[in-house]
């Protein structure tokens, strides 16, 4: 690969494209998890990714901040191509926030410290300023009063909202959500979804792996359906739910929407 | 509509709480337990009173000579008292004892602020203690500079030598162990193999062999004329030996941290060293405090093995005192004294580790 291919691309190349995946393939050992994924995400787009478990949807969004390595194809995030180059990876991770199924808050740090950590150590922000930013986002997710507590003292829904605030403190352009409500009690799902809806309204680019079809209907610009490592179908939500094209999608929708 | 009124709390039955309840549930809960309890009480009655009278009631504490102890059936602590200076300072010149006192006094004074909650500069002070304090102590012990009379390391001994060996071992083995543990979990094959070989080598040989090698074999391999101190060699041997154990303890802690923690740190853009230093190690080390302190305690007691290479630590110097023709036959007192000193230090470490665990507990479930 030539020098120029590796270097960050000039932004005019991808006017308002923010994520570009070009025929991405990935294997776990012999197992082919991602098969020829092509995806272009424009700035401010809100994409919901659904599909049966093991279909590669989590793996796909985890490739976007290089928590998983792809073996073939290209992934370009904000003009930076993801390669083995650590500088590029760090560059992308600074701009891409991620929220996990199991929150993954740091249990030995208070809520406030969880939020300040990356701005202080990665962005080199002075502590005072970082704390102010953190409090601002904790207010946005409506739990400023929990700032001095430890994650273990909060409910699941509160923890997930802290996790969202923690990502936002890095001021990312893109937010990835990996099944953010799957580990929550039914009563707590709504508070997290409300936070996510608010975030969507603010114009954030969001990629969200979720089984919350109601969320997909109200928030998404586009719904992507994956199965067996492939993108089977993508469409805007109304069309996707009312007029699915492929048999596989129809089957999936009939199974999740029956109850 | 029916209104639910909660049932009021009732007091528990009398026999289930208080002293009676405790006795009933812990000592006399069944015929077999009653029998065992009575037997245990009888054993305590048989052993404890004689020990107390030997140590305290019938023992001799005053006097300077052997004659003071004639005719008593209890312990002769005069022996320990007369030899106390040697037990503490080894063969250090008596006029220079103040240097050892100053070194340990300084440590206590420096360490006190670390336990004061409001003290702001704990990190800086800890760095000072770890970096500059050893230099000061070394200067005080060995002398030669600042007008202090030089004292050879062969003259060091007693409890002060034990503490130096253990202190150096503890301070060196923890960081080396952490680096080795990280190395063993590294994805870089060369780093990993080097760490595995190092750890398995040092864990595979007995400490006695290490000490023998360092004092007898090593000089044979070194070029003629190079001579470095026997005590230093023993210290290096102990530190490397214990760091291998420490590495495995720390590795256990690292393995117990959920993968999500590594991923969250990565996703936030933290570099490897930052995520280790800020996220993973603080949690992993906290988890393995009992194992770390266990290794420290083992290290502390293992320092007695330096006896075989001719260094006189606390135990060795006490044993050496048994040979004094004026004080033949007081080995029990000597051993009991040595045991109590070791016990006090080890028990303090154990209590400190428990306090630390409690303090660092942040109420997280995982």
């Amino acid at each position: 690969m030539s020098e120029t291919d590796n270097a960050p691309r000039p932004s005019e190349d991808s006017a308002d494209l923010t994520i570009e995946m070009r025929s991405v393939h990935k294997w776990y050992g012999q197992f082919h998890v991602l098969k020829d994924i092509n995806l272009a995400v424009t700035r401010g787009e809100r994409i919901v990714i659904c599909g049966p478990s093991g279909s590669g949807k989590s793996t796909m969004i985890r490739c976007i901040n290089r928590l998983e390595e792809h073996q073939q194809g290209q992934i370009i995030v904000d003009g930076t191509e993801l390669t083995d180059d650590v500088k590029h990876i760090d560059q992308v991770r600074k701009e891409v926030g991620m929220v996990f199924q199991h929150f993954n808050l740091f249990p030995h740090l208070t809520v406030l410290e969880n939020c300040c950590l990356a701005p202080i150590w990665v962005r080199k922000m002075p502590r005072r300023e970082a704390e102010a930013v953190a409090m601002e986002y904790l207010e946005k997710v409506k739990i400023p009063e929990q700032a001095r507590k430890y994650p273990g003292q909060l409910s699941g829904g509160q923890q997930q909202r802290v996790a969202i605030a923690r990502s936002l403190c890095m001021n990312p352009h893109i937010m990835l959500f990996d099944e953010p409500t799957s580990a929550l009690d039914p009563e707590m799902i709504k508070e997290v979804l409300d936070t996510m809806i608010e975030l969507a309204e603010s114009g954030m680019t969001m990629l969200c792996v979720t089984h919350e079809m109601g969320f997909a209907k109200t928030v998404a610009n586009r719904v992507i359906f994956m199965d067996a490592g492939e993108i089977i179908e993508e469409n805007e939500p109304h069309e996707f739910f009312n007029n699915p094209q492929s048999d596989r999608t129809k089957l999936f929708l009939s199974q999740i929407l029956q109850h | 509509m029916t209104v639910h009124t909660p049932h009021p709390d009732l007091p528990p039955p009398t026999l289930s709480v208080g002293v009676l309840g405790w006795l009933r549930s812990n000592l006399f809960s069944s015929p077999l337990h009653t029998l065992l309890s009575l037997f245990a009480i009888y054993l305590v009655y048989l052993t404890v009173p004689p020990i107390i009278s030997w140590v305290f009631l019938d023992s001799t504490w005053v006097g300077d000579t052997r004659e003071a102890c004639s005719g008593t059936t209890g312990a002769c602590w005069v022996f320990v008292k007369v030899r106390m200076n040697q037990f503490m300072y080894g063969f250090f010149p008596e006029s220079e004892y103040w240097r050892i006192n100053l070194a340990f006094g300084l440590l206590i004074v420096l360490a006190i602020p670390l336990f004061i909650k409001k003290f702001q500069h704990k990190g800086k002070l800890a760095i000072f203690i770890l970096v500059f304090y050893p230099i000061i102590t070394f200067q005080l012990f060995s002398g030669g500079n600042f007008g202090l009379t030089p004292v050879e390391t062969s003259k060091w001994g007693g409890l002060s030598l034990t503490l130096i060996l253990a202190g150096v071992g503890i301070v060196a083995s923890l960081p080396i162990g952490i680096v080795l543990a990280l190395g063993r979990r590294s994805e870089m094959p060369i780093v990993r193999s080097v760490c595995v070989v190092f750890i398995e080598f040092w864990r595979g040989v007995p400490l006695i062999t290490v000490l023998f090698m360092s004092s007898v074999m090593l000089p044979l391999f070194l070029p003629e004329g190079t001579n470095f101190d026997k005590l230093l060699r023993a210290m290096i041997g102990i530190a490397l030996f214990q760091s291998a154990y420490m590495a495995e303890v720390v590795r256990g802690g690292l393995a117990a941290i959920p993968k999500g923690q590594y991923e969250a740190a990565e996703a936030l853009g933290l570099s490897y060293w930052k995520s280790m230093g800020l996220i993973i190690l603080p949690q992993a080390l906290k988890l393995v405090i009992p194992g770390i302190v266990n290794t420290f305690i083992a290290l502390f007691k293992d320092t007695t093995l330096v006896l075989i290479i001719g260094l006189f630590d606390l135990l060795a110097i006490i044993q050496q005192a048994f040979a004094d023709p004026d004080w033949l036959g007081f080995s029990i007192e000597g051993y009991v004294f040595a045991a109590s000193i070791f016990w006090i230090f080890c028990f303090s470490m154990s209590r400190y580790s428990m306090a630390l665990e409690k303090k660092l507990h942040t109420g997280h479930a995982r």
Side-chain angles (χ1 to χ4, degrees):
Chain A
M1 205 176 272
S2 74
E3 182 83 27
T4 44
D5 278 343
N6 266 328
R9 289 151 159 269
S11 54
E12 66 265 24
D13 180 345
S14 43
D16 49 351
L17 268 190
T18 178
I19 303 171
E20 223 185 328
M21 299 177 93
R22 291 189 200 146
S23 42
V24 170
H25 288 260
K26 176 172 174 62
W27 289 263
Y28 285 131
Q30 289 293 315
F31 180 54
H32 199 169
V33 253
L34 292 182
K35 297 171 189 161
D36 194 29
I37 301 288
N38 286 289
L39 180 70
V41 182
T42 49
R43 220 167 279 282
E45 223 183 339
R46 302 180 293 276
I47 295 177
V48 163
I49 300 149
C50 61
S53 58
S55 60
K57 48 196 194 308
S58 286
T59 310
M60 184 180 84
I61 70 162
R62 287 157 61 91
C63 281
I64 295 171
N65 64 354
R66 195 79 171 182
L67 285 186
E68 304 281 355
E69 222 173 286
H70 60 285
Q71 282 120 5
Q72 243 180 56
Q74 276 183 305
I75 302 178
I76 299 156
V77 181
D78 263 344
T80 308
E81 181 172 358
L82 283 169
T83 56
D84 286 333
D85 192 331
V86 183
K87 269 188 205 150
H88 289 192
I89 298 173
D90 286 345
Q91 178 62 32
V92 167
R93 283 180 181 163
K94 265 193 218 174
E95 307 305 332
V96 179
M98 184 159 201
V99 174
F100 299 87
Q101 181 176 4
H102 295 289
F103 333 135
N104 298 351
L105 292 178
F106 306 130
H108 63 301
L109 301 175
T110 63
V111 165
L112 188 63
E113 288 166 337
N114 262 282
C115 294
C116 294
L117 189 93
I120 291 173
W121 291 91
V122 180
R123 290 231 188 270
K124 313 280 178 215
M125 202 185 270
R127 178 171 293 272
R128 218 169 270 280
E129 196 183 320
E131 285 184 0
V133 171
M135 283 313 292
E136 191 184 308
Y137 283 110
L138 286 173
E139 256 156 54
K140 248 186 201 160
V141 301
K142 301 192 180 66
I143 33 175
E145 70 283 359
Q146 313 283 10
R148 305 277 162 195
K149 287 195 182 166
Y150 286 97
Q153 296 164 298
L154 306 185
S155 74
Q158 290 173 326
Q159 290 193 41
Q160 193 60 297
R161 284 185 284 151
V162 172
I164 294 173
R166 178 177 71 177
S167 292
L168 292 177
C169 283
M170 282 294 280
N171 199 14
H173 301 153
I174 301 164
M175 283 289 284
L176 308 174
F177 292 85
D178 189 0
E179 306 203 24
T181 55
S182 303
L184 295 174
D185 292 340
E187 281 178 312
M188 294 167 182
I189 291 178
K190 187 176 176 296
E191 61 185 61
V192 171
L193 288 182
D194 284 347
T195 308
M196 289 169 64
I197 290 170
E198 226 168 88
L199 190 60
E201 283 162 358
S202 74
M204 176 71 74
T205 310
M206 290 166 72
L207 272 84
C208 183
V209 173
T210 185
H211 300 297
E212 299 296 331
M213 291 304 139
F215 175 79
K217 279 176 195 162
T218 46
V219 171
N221 306 115
R222 187 159 34 136
V223 180
I224 291 178
F225 175 71
M226 285 183 75
D227 186 35
E230 286 180 83
I231 294 181
I232 306 275
E233 188 165 345
E234 50 183 312
N235 216 332
E236 55 94 19
H238 185 79
E239 277 295 297
F240 179 84
F241 287 109
N242 296 317
N243 189 17
Q245 301 297 310
S246 96
D247 296 347
R248 187 65 192 87
T249 318
K250 282 177 193 161
L251 180 67
F252 178 76
L253 288 176
S254 72
Q255 273 162 345
I256 58 165
L257 295 178
Q258 254 165 15
H259 298 287
Chain B
M1 193 173 94
T2 56
V3 177
H4 172 71
T5 30
H7 206 284
D9 291 345
L10 299 175
T14 19
L15 266 183
S16 70
V17 288
V19 181
L20 270 184
W22 186 87
L23 281 178
R24 216 170 84 118
S25 62
N26 288 294
L27 297 182
F28 305 109
S29 58
S30 72
L32 178 65
H33 283 182
T34 309
L35 205 68
L36 287 174
S37 296
L38 290 175
F39 181 65
I41 291 167
Y42 177 65
L43 276 185
V44 169
Y45 164 76
L46 274 188
T47 51
V48 172
I51 290 176
I52 289 178
S53 53
W54 185 80
V55 174
F56 298 107
L57 304 180
D58 299 340
S59 59
T60 313
W61 298 78
V62 283
D64 295 311
T65 54
R66 194 195 166 103
E67 280 64 47
C69 295
S70 56
T72 105
T73 53
C76 179
W77 297 121
V78 179
F79 165 64
V80 174
K81 198 178 83 180
V82 168
R83 291 271 175 172
M84 187 58 102
N85 277 344
Q86 214 181 52
F87 291 172
M88 295 296 117
Y89 305 104
F91 307 110
F92 221 76
E94 217 168 323
S95 59
E96 308 295 324
Y97 282 173
W98 65 271
R99 280 154 56 175
I100 299 184
N101 294 339
L102 179 63
F104 287 110
L106 189 62
L107 179 63
I108 294 170
V109 170
L110 283 174
I112 285 173
L114 294 179
F115 295 92
I116 298 173
K117 262 192 188 155
K118 282 188 185 156
F119 186 69
Q120 296 281 327
H121 308 286
K122 281 185 186 157
K124 285 175 203 161
L125 182 64
I127 290 173
F128 180 82
I129 291 178
L130 287 177
V131 177
F132 295 103
Y133 175 75
I135 300 173
I136 298 171
T137 307
F138 178 74
Q139 291 298 338
L140 280 171
F141 268 77
S142 63
N145 294 325
F146 311 109
L148 298 172
T149 347
V151 179
E152 282 174 40
T153 55
S154 57
K155 296 241 170 69
W156 304 9
L159 182 63
S160 45
L161 180 72
T162 299
L163 290 179
I164 284 184
L165 281 168
V168 170
I170 285 172
V171 170
S173 67
L174 185 59
I176 301 176
I178 290 173
V179 170
L180 286 171
L182 291 176
R184 192 166 184 168
R185 285 173 63 83
S186 162
E187 280 166 16
M188 290 176 273
I190 295 177
V191 173
R192 192 175 52 229
S193 344
V194 168
C195 291
V196 169
V197 168
F198 184 95
I199 292 170
E200 296 306 337
F201 170 77
W202 287 98
R203 276 207 308 174
V205 287
L207 183 56
I208 291 205
T209 322
V210 173
L211 292 172
F212 251 130
M213 288 285 278
S214 74
S215 80
V216 183
M217 304 286 286
L218 198 61
L220 297 179
F221 298 125
L222 289 175
E224 195 104 18
T226 42
N227 176 35
F228 74 109
D229 196 79
K230 187 158 75 174
L231 178 62
L232 180 64
R233 277 180 272 151
M235 279 176 182
I236 294 174
I238 290 176
L240 294 181
F241 180 83
Q242 296 293 351
S243 66
Y245 283 89
M246 194 58 76
E248 289 300 281
V249 171
V250 173
R251 188 165 71 95
L254 291 174
I257 303 300
K259 202 168 155 242
Q261 293 288 313
Y262 292 86
E263 288 178 349
E266 275 181 42
L268 284 170
L270 292 168
S271 66
Y272 173 80
W273 288 107
K274 280 178 190 160
S275 62
M276 287 300 148
L278 296 165
I279 310 296
I280 307 301
L281 279 174
Q283 295 184 61
L285 293 179
K286 184 172 77 184
L287 276 178
V288 293
I289 287 173
I292 292 175
V293 175
N294 204 18
T295 310
F296 283 167
I297 288 176
L299 183 155
F300 188 78
K301 293 189 290 184
D302 281 352
T303 55
T304 51
L305 290 173
V306 296
L307 158 80
I308 60 140
I309 56 167
L311 291 172
F312 285 92
D313 76 308
L314 179 64
L315 185 64
I317 212 150
I318 288 176
Q319 278 184 323
Q320 173 268 148
F322 299 157
D324 184 344
D326 287 343
W327 289 96
L328 289 174
F330 290 104
S331 51
I332 298 182
E333 282 85 346
Y335 282 128
V336 168
F337 176 71
S340 350
I341 298 283
F342 276 103
W343 186 82
I344 288 169
F345 278 97
C346 295
F347 186 66
S348 320
M349 280 194 257
S350 147
R351 299 312 291 195
Y352 179 65
S353 91
M354 285 168 80
L356 200 61
E357 266 178 78
K358 217 170 161 185
K359 187 181 141 202
L360 295 179
H361 185 72
T362 52
H364 61 282
R366 286 191 293 163

